[in-house]
Amino acid sequence: MEVSYREEGVASAASSVAGRLVADGVPARLAAGDPTLWGEDAEREAAVRLGWLTLPRYSRELLPVLGGLVERARAAGLTNVVLAGMGGSSLAAEVICATADVPLTVLDTTDPGQVRRALGEQLDATVLVVAGKSGSTVETDSLLRIYERLFTDAGLAPAGRVVVVTDPGSPLEKRAVEAGYDLVLAQPDVGGRFSALSAFGLVPSALAGADVARLLDEAGEVLPLLSRDTGNPGLDLGAALGGAALAGRDKLLLEDQLSAITGLPDWIEQLVAESTGKQGRGILPVVGADPNESGDELVVAIETDLGDVRVDGPLGAQFLVWEYATALAGLLLEINPFDQPNVAESKENTAALLALPDLPAGAPAFVDGPVEVYGGATARDLPGLFAELLNAIPADGYLSIMAFLDRMAAFDAPVPEGADFEQMTDAWMMADPATLRALLALRTNRPVTFGWGPRLLHSTGQYHKGGPQNGVFLQITGAVAEDVPVPGRPYTLGRLQLAQALGDLGALETRGRPAVRLHLTDRAAGVARLLAAAQEA
């Protein structure tokens, strides 16, 4: 594992802060799990959140358990692995399986269309992994209820098809025991976003067919380096992240287009944003963007020379080194990297909205074809709105696009008969809301981020509300054609999804930053109109 500096300014800033960290004995203290590093206010939280440092060794005890789970699943013909989990309970497994090229369906959504698609796939061959530290997360609870009813209605016993991963003593553990589900208990002193090498990352990945023992080997090889003052990749990366942020380069552009590791920036995004975005400061990860050379960017590249910093190493080592580096960055920024004080705001808002007879969506400010616009914009068409939002971004700020939609729907777009790969890709891109990020990024020198709701609530949502208050927010919701009821709950997935969007928008609006919601009355036509308007802006 190696971290190398490709730019002199980064090298200078990193060297300066690394020297201070070494003088204070920080590398060895962090490797030993010293909870006093982040100050008195953070000590209590840190004392029960440093177990990730031992996972390369501790998780080896899980390998026989995982082997038994895999053997039983294969014997029962359960080859369609579905993971219901949010944030740290799903992101690492998605990266592991994508990199290993093994199939895993990740449901970190409440979008009815995306869930209905998964429900219709090979039910008789499906094993559902339900992952959550407590199991009380509304998305995870809803998905478990839906699958329990689906299995039962199909005459399939859920007890043979559900695997639960949770902390000891959690409500989800009790539920799993009562229902007779397979249960794997995670190490409780590991926070969700630091849990890649725990049962949360390993159980679904092993069931899907990934070599999880190899991941632990890779992490185990780098672990001894993390206590060293030199030749320590975690120290080198943490000093670069924290040193650059202290010098004003607090926008972290993640580059991985030439890497053999698939999707790692999405996992890094949650780790860094949720760990550092608080007390009015933080590091903003930007995924899938080209550098603007605006002076406040740090480009970190995975296994390529396309950045200011290059990070080389296999996936297991990457997980551990990024976790270590993020903990160091929090120390340098003088914040607690292990809490998430603002995440609960949107959850509480959602619960309050769901208790109302009707969701207070309000009246649109204007309508542009299949798109209703809600908020305080003065523009009266979409091109004008996009120009207005881009002009509202502060000199040190960013635009965040948040789509509470089906993130797989673009692949349903019609493709011309006989189309080659490039034509297929073009068709999918022009049906994908994420393309909006690239189109608007062409029209500003500020970062434009994109996130899928509600998964972003468990990721960048903490940074949006707790980090520097310099964001401009563009939220997208969509009409639901076929909804999915949640058994035992007085709401459907469509109602829950809209309540989550409105609840988060309310939390953002209290910060006084520009925030607009676009509602697609026809999702396919609405996406097409958004992309056309972005090109007109």
Side-chain angles (χ1 to χ4, degrees):
M1 185 78 188
E2 182 181 5
V3 175
S4 54
Y5 307 139
R6 319 295 295 181
E7 197 260 341
E8 186 175 344
V10 173
S12 177
S15 177
S16 176
V17 297
R20 297 198 336 249
L21 294 171
V22 168
D24 291 338
V26 169
R29 290 171 61 193
L30 176 53
D34 182 353
T36 68
L37 282 169
W38 298 271
E40 185 176 345
D41 291 343
E43 182 175 348
R44 184 174 181 179
E45 178 89 26
V48 294
R49 286 290 177 264
L50 289 168
W52 51 273
L53 289 160
T54 67
L55 288 176
R57 292 191 295 265
Y58 178 89
S59 291
R60 290 201 160 276
E61 299 176 11
L62 289 175
L63 293 179
V65 176
L66 299 180
L69 281 176
V70 172
E71 185 177 344
R72 291 194 297 277
R74 297 296 181 268
L78 304 180
T79 56
N80 180 43
V81 184
V82 178
L83 171 59
M86 301 301 298
S89 298
S90 61
L91 285 168
E94 189 168 42
V95 176
I96 293 167
C97 291
T99 300
D101 196 22
V102 295
L104 174 70
T105 298
V106 175
L107 287 181
D108 54 357
T109 184
T110 49
D111 185 82
Q114 190 171 336
V115 173
R116 287 177 67 88
R117 182 184 292 103
L119 296 176
E121 293 179 352
Q122 309 175 61
L123 184 64
D124 59 343
T126 294
V127 55
L128 175 71
V129 180
V130 181
K133 287 184 69 63
S134 70
S136 60
T137 302
V138 65
E139 300 94 339
T140 307
D141 173 74
S142 298
L143 292 167
L144 175 55
R145 289 171 177 272
I146 290 166
Y147 265 96
E148 285 175 331
R149 174 66 59 82
L150 187 66
F151 285 139
T152 301
D153 289 350
L156 303 171
R161 297 171 176 272
V162 177
V163 179
V164 168
V165 183
T166 190
D167 280 0
S170 72
L172 186 54
E173 179 193 10
K174 180 181 178 182
R175 185 171 174 180
V177 170
E178 291 174 349
Y181 298 150
D182 280 312
L183 174 65
V184 181
L185 294 176
Q187 193 167 337
D189 58 348
V190 178
R193 57 188 176 274
F194 287 81
S195 65
L197 297 171
S198 77
F200 288 106
L202 302 184
V203 170
S205 301
L207 284 168
D211 185 351
V212 297
R214 179 179 177 182
L215 284 173
L216 297 177
D217 290 341
E218 293 165 353
E221 290 178 5
V222 78
L223 183 61
L225 304 179
L226 300 183
S227 61
R228 294 170 49 172
D229 293 341
T230 60
N232 179 340
L235 173 62
D236 294 339
L237 181 57
L241 299 179
L246 291 173
R249 299 173 67 171
D250 60 353
K251 310 302 188 295
L252 173 61
L253 274 66
L254 296 162
E255 171 59 64
D256 74 331
Q257 61 179 317
L258 299 179
S259 173
I261 300 173
T262 303
L264 186 60
D266 288 331
W267 175 83
I268 295 171
E269 179 182 49
Q270 187 213 8
L271 175 69
V272 173
E274 198 169 45
S275 296
T276 71
K278 56 200 71 169
Q279 298 176 23
R281 66 198 80 156
I283 299 170
L284 175 68
V286 184
V287 177
D290 294 325
N292 288 319
E293 299 181 359
S294 56
D296 61 351
E297 298 174 337
L298 175 71
V299 183
V300 177
I302 310 299
E303 299 184 323
T304 175
D305 289 333
L306 298 177
D308 304 311
V309 180
R310 173 172 177 152
V311 185
D312 287 290
L315 181 55
Q318 292 272 0
F319 282 143
L320 187 59
V321 166
W322 276 97
E323 289 165 350
Y324 183 103
T326 300
L328 282 187
L331 173 61
L332 291 166
L333 293 175
E334 299 182 344
I335 53 92
N336 175 3
F338 305 114
D339 67 353
Q340 47 282 330
N342 302 104
V343 169
E345 289 182 56
S346 295
K347 294 181 181 180
E348 292 165 358
N349 288 354
T350 297
L353 290 169
L354 287 174
L356 299 175
D358 297 296
L359 296 179
F366 69 88
V367 178
D368 187 328
V371 182
E372 297 174 343
V373 179
Y374 296 81
T378 60
R380 285 298 174 261
D381 61 18
L382 284 173
L385 174 68
F386 291 150
E388 184 176 321
L389 291 174
L390 293 172
N391 288 332
I393 304 173
D396 62 345
Y398 64 100
L399 172 66
S400 175
I401 304 172
M402 306 169 294
F404 286 74
L405 300 169
D406 178 355
R407 69 183 174 109
M408 306 303 293
F411 295 104
D412 296 333
V415 176
E417 185 176 350
D420 58 24
F421 180 77
E422 184 175 348
Q423 292 171 318
M424 292 169 61
T425 301
D426 288 343
W428 290 329
M429 284 186 62
M430 295 316 296
D432 187 353
T435 304
L436 183 62
R437 187 211 65 77
L439 293 175
L440 294 181
L442 292 172
R443 290 156 175 78
T444 178
N445 67 348
R446 302 308 306 149
V448 180
T449 67
F450 184 93
W452 294 102
R455 67 187 271 172
L456 68 89
L457 302 182
H458 303 263
S459 177
T460 52
Q462 168 61 43
Y463 183 96
H464 292 163
K465 293 178 278 290
Q469 297 306 311
N470 56 9
V472 174
F473 300 96
L474 178 61
Q475 187 186 84
I476 308 172
T477 58
V480 174
E482 294 183 84
D483 214 337
V484 178
V486 180
R489 292 289 186 257
Y491 49 77
T492 63
L493 284 185
R495 179 178 168 87
L496 172 58
Q497 183 185 40
L498 183 56
Q500 289 177 307
L502 294 176
D504 192 49
L505 194 63
L508 294 170
E509 288 174 338
T510 62
R511 268 82 183 167
R513 299 308 310 166
V516 174
R517 179 170 72 95
L518 309 182
H519 186 71
L520 313 183
T521 54
D522 178 297
R523 292 196 179 197
V527 169
R529 177 60 191 137
L530 293 182
L531 300 185
Q535 295 178 76
E536 299 169 20

